[in-house]
Amino acid sequence: MKTSQKKLWRLIAAAGFSISLINVVISIVQYYYMENNIGIFARTVGLIINLMSTLFFSYLILNPFMFKIFAINFYIYGIGNFLDKGNLLGFICIVCSYYFFYADNFFREHKSFKISVFLILPAASLFQQFFTVNPLAFFVSTMHVIGGSLIFIIISLLYKMISQNELNEKKNIFLDSKTFTNQDLVFLEKVLAGTKYRDIAQLYEISESKVKNRMIEIYRILNVKDKTEFVTKFCNSKFQLR
């Protein structure tokens, strides 16, 4: 990934560290001075989760591309919020955790099984609330989670649609007519379409080596080292002469 992306994720990790550190201070105050308002279990769990989060984010400042650590951190935070009856924030954290695991290719193999295991603790945390909170409050909180789910689905669909539209739009690349010919444009178009040099040579009834040598020269001019880099860099491009 690019240096700019690394700086961005390091900044995000630093922001998370600052927030977690503030939460640690709040948890310590709650632990020692709010015995009558908050149970010992909730105070202990909150303090442990915030301490762990602070450690995770401090590690991520040094290693900002460790998405699996982001995923674990948000997962733990999500479960903690569910246990603390903060269902909406808990849901957001679990969704963030899922996407970080997804970005880390965690779900590439045995996807259904891993997602099922992933959802066990959030589901159990929500289920236990049914017996410990007011039914109406539980229903309202659950509807917040359902509403949040719908919003995330809508955002995901919009993002997918926008990405697909950008992918389908061809980027025009203008080449100097003094350096390139119409035949070169056909070569470029065919190579991007996956056509082999041999087939391009048959189209013009020339030798394969002539096509290959010309393409090597074109790669040099376009500042790419080989066919693979050319296809990767210009896969969504349309070449024109000017």
Side-chain angles (χ1 to χ4, degrees):
M1 292 187 181
K2 297 180 180 179
T3 304
S4 59
Q5 292 177 317
K6 189 172 185 179
K7 289 181 179 178
L8 175 61
W9 285 110
R10 180 168 285 133
L11 183 63
I12 291 172
F17 174 81
S18 300
I19 294 170
S20 297
L21 196 60
I22 293 172
N23 287 336
V24 167
V25 175
I26 294 172
S27 294
I28 292 173
V29 172
Q30 288 177 332
Y31 189 86
Y32 288 104
Y33 300 103
M34 300 185 69
E35 298 95 335
N36 298 328
N37 298 326
I38 305 174
I40 183 65
F41 175 76
R43 285 181 283 134
T44 303
V45 169
L47 180 58
I48 292 173
I49 288 176
N50 287 317
L51 284 170
M52 289 178 62
S53 182
T54 304
L55 291 175
F56 281 140
F57 277 123
S58 63
Y59 176 81
L60 288 167
I61 291 173
L62 302 176
N63 304 276
F65 289 150
M66 291 294 291
F67 287 164
K68 191 169 290 184
I69 302 299
F70 272 110
I72 294 171
N73 193 16
F74 278 109
Y75 188 78
I76 293 173
Y77 240 123
I79 299 303
N81 276 282
F82 280 137
L83 292 175
D84 198 34
K85 304 176 182 62
N87 290 346
L88 185 57
L89 182 57
F91 166 76
I92 293 173
C93 288
I94 293 299
V95 171
C96 287
S97 174
Y98 172 83
Y99 278 111
F100 274 116
F101 273 127
Y102 186 86
D104 197 58
N105 295 320
F106 177 74
F107 295 115
R108 176 173 292 181
E109 298 179 355
H110 312 295
K111 184 176 180 179
S112 298
F113 172 75
K114 288 180 178 178
I115 290 177
S116 298
V117 174
F118 177 84
L119 292 174
I120 287 176
L121 285 179
S125 301
L126 278 173
F127 184 72
Q128 63 87 27
Q129 287 187 29
F130 183 78
F131 302 99
T132 58
V133 301
N134 180 281
L136 180 59
F138 175 77
F139 176 75
V140 171
S141 184
T142 302
M143 291 307 298
H144 286 166
V145 171
I146 294 173
S149 302
L150 179 60
I151 291 171
F152 269 100
I153 291 171
I154 292 171
I155 292 173
S156 298
L157 290 174
L158 286 173
Y159 176 77
K160 184 177 181 180
M161 183 177 67
I162 293 170
S163 299
Q164 189 62 45
N165 289 339
E166 290 179 349
L167 187 64
N168 292 334
E169 290 180 359
K170 292 288 185 180
K171 180 181 179 182
N172 291 322
I173 304 292
F174 293 95
L175 303 175
D176 190 347
S177 58
K178 295 180 180 179
T179 306
F180 296 89
T181 66
N182 287 320
Q183 186 182 75
D184 292 334
L185 294 183
V186 177
F187 285 5
L188 290 166
E189 181 182 339
K190 293 294 183 182
V191 171
L192 286 176
T195 307
K196 295 181 179 179
Y197 293 151
R198 180 181 67 251
D199 297 328
I200 298 173
Q202 290 177 356
L203 179 66
Y204 282 93
E205 297 182 349
I206 56 179
S207 67
E208 181 181 350
S209 61
K210 187 173 182 178
V211 175
K212 184 176 181 180
N213 290 336
R214 179 54 184 163
M215 287 306 302
I216 290 174
E217 178 65 16
I218 290 174
Y219 295 153
R220 184 188 64 78
I221 297 172
L222 294 177
N223 198 28
V224 293
K225 63 182 180 181
D226 53 26
K227 181 179 180 180
T228 301
E229 186 177 351
F230 167 73
V231 173
T232 301
K233 185 175 180 178
F234 296 101
C235 63
N236 203 35
S237 302
K238 181 179 180 180
F239 292 95
Q240 300 181 46
L241 295 179
R242 65 177 176 184

